[in-house]
Amino acid sequence: RQPPSSMVVAEQRDKTLCVLITGASRGIGLELVKQYLLRVGRGNYGRGGHVIACARDPDKSMDLLRCFTVDYVSYELVPLDVTDPGSFGDLHEHLQDLDRIKELDGVPQKIDIVFNNAGVALGRDCSLGTVDYDAWRTSFDTNVMGAVRVVETVLPHLADDATIVNVSSGLGSIGRVMNGGFNTLTQDVIYRSTKAALNMTTACCAAELRARAPDKAIKVVSIDPGWVNTDMGSRGGTVKPPLEPEQVVRGMIDVVAGLKPEDSGKFLSWEGAEMPW
């Protein structure tokens, strides 16, 4: 069967790229899956390009399943709830499978890029006096601790020059709060504080990995995708953000492809500019 023409003419393919994406069932995560599938081309499982798409219930995400209706792309759909340590078993097993392939034929298959994209935006209308602390706890568990759980799971399986991308937000910039850098109805303290904490996690992981493995070039960055027209960004379709997922993800992929070891620990926009902490 011939692949769709849009995939045949894709300008850039990397037949050895192994990419892991969390929160892959919708929005930015779904678009990351779509665009990386174009880039991995006709890779063979364990020997060429490979996309690992993680979502809480991937078998029920029709948009995600439709990405994999072609038979020449190497991929794995992995159920993963980043808030539940017990749900990491399937991911751990799949990563071990990749290691076993290496043991059998000596062909390395390590993860080149990790997108920590799973996240929630809860309690966004809270203000002082009406803070939803349950929503805050859930948000931290997902947006911050969930990201660290993913890093700890994939760490033994990373390529020596791998990149970990924590999908953050400009709303996590502390420097933009007092000068009114964003037009928000409230200060959005729950979401903003989790993304600020995720940025600190990025810096801490980058520093630790640089000290722990100075002979490697593993990079950890935060990337702000901007205000994107997804279900989360549009607040369930009540507002119209200025950016579309296709444009933003294309920019994020280009930024990641151009990262150097000295970029590890940075907070970047989807266009590659440094963001204020």
Side-chain angles (χ1 to χ4, degrees):
R1 182 171 61 178
Q2 292 297 315
S5 58
S6 62
M7 293 192 177
V8 173
V9 299
E11 292 182 359
Q12 180 177 358
R13 297 185 187 275
D14 189 331
K15 295 182 180 180
T16 64
L17 200 64
C18 184
V19 184
L20 185 148
I21 301 160
T22 68
S25 64
R26 61 178 185 162
I28 290 172
L30 180 64
E31 186 61 30
L32 282 165
V33 171
K34 291 178 181 178
Q35 293 199 26
Y36 271 113
L37 285 175
L38 300 183
R39 297 190 177 220
V40 300
R42 293 176 176 270
N44 296 316
Y45 176 81
R47 295 166 179 79
H50 188 53
V51 175
I52 306 168
C54 303
R56 277 182 290 187
D57 201 346
D59 291 337
K60 292 184 179 179
S61 173
M62 296 309 299
D63 289 336
L64 181 59
L65 292 173
R66 277 191 287 268
C67 294
F68 302 103
T69 55
V70 293
D71 59 9
Y72 63 90
V73 173
S74 173
Y75 68 91
E76 186 78 11
L77 296 177
V78 179
L80 179 67
D81 179 352
V82 299
T83 68
D84 178 11
S87 80
F88 279 76
D90 287 332
L91 177 58
H92 182 67
E93 182 178 343
H94 179 61
L95 298 179
Q96 285 187 318
D97 285 343
L98 294 181
D99 288 342
R100 280 193 285 270
I101 290 172
K102 177 183 177 181
E103 291 171 1
L104 288 172
D105 61 15
V107 178
Q109 181 65 67
K110 293 292 187 179
I111 300 174
D112 298 292
I113 303 171
V114 177
F115 275 92
N116 252 326
N117 173 70
V120 295
L122 306 176
R124 305 202 71 173
D125 294 328
C126 291
S127 58
L128 291 177
T130 63
V131 174
D132 184 338
Y133 289 93
D134 288 334
W136 209 346
R137 278 187 287 270
T138 299
S139 297
F140 260 95
D141 198 10
T142 306
N143 297 353
V144 186
M145 290 183 283
V148 176
R149 291 186 187 104
V150 171
V151 172
E152 289 187 313
T153 301
V154 303
L155 195 56
H157 309 278
L158 293 176
D160 287 350
D161 60 348
T163 299
I164 299 171
V165 179
N166 290 326
V167 179
S168 185
S169 170
L171 288 171
S173 169
I174 296 173
R176 288 189 171 189
V177 175
M178 294 305 293
N179 64 10
F182 289 93
N183 181 20
T184 54
L185 299 177
T186 69
Q187 282 305 316
D188 208 354
V189 64
I190 292 177
Y191 184 71
R192 279 182 145 176
S193 63
T194 65
K195 291 303 184 179
L198 180 63
N199 288 344
M200 176 59 82
T201 298
T202 293
C204 289
C205 288
E208 180 170 341
L209 291 177
R210 181 176 294 169
R212 180 190 295 189
D215 57 325
K216 297 182 180 181
I218 297 175
K219 302 168 288 294
V220 189
V221 296
S222 286
I223 293 184
D224 166 30
W227 190 17
V228 188
N229 188 23
T230 62
D231 184 63
M232 182 185 292
S234 69
R235 299 201 177 195
T238 60
V239 292
K240 179 66 166 65
L243 300 172
E244 293 298 326
E246 297 85 353
Q247 172 191 11
V248 167
V249 167
R250 191 161 53 245
M252 291 171 69
I253 290 175
D254 289 342
V255 169
V256 170
L259 290 175
K260 298 177 174 59
E262 55 266 30
D263 294 319
S264 190
K266 290 183 177 180
F267 179 23
L268 305 170
S269 76
W270 64 274
E271 295 176 297
E274 285 201 54
M275 298 284 293
W277 292 104

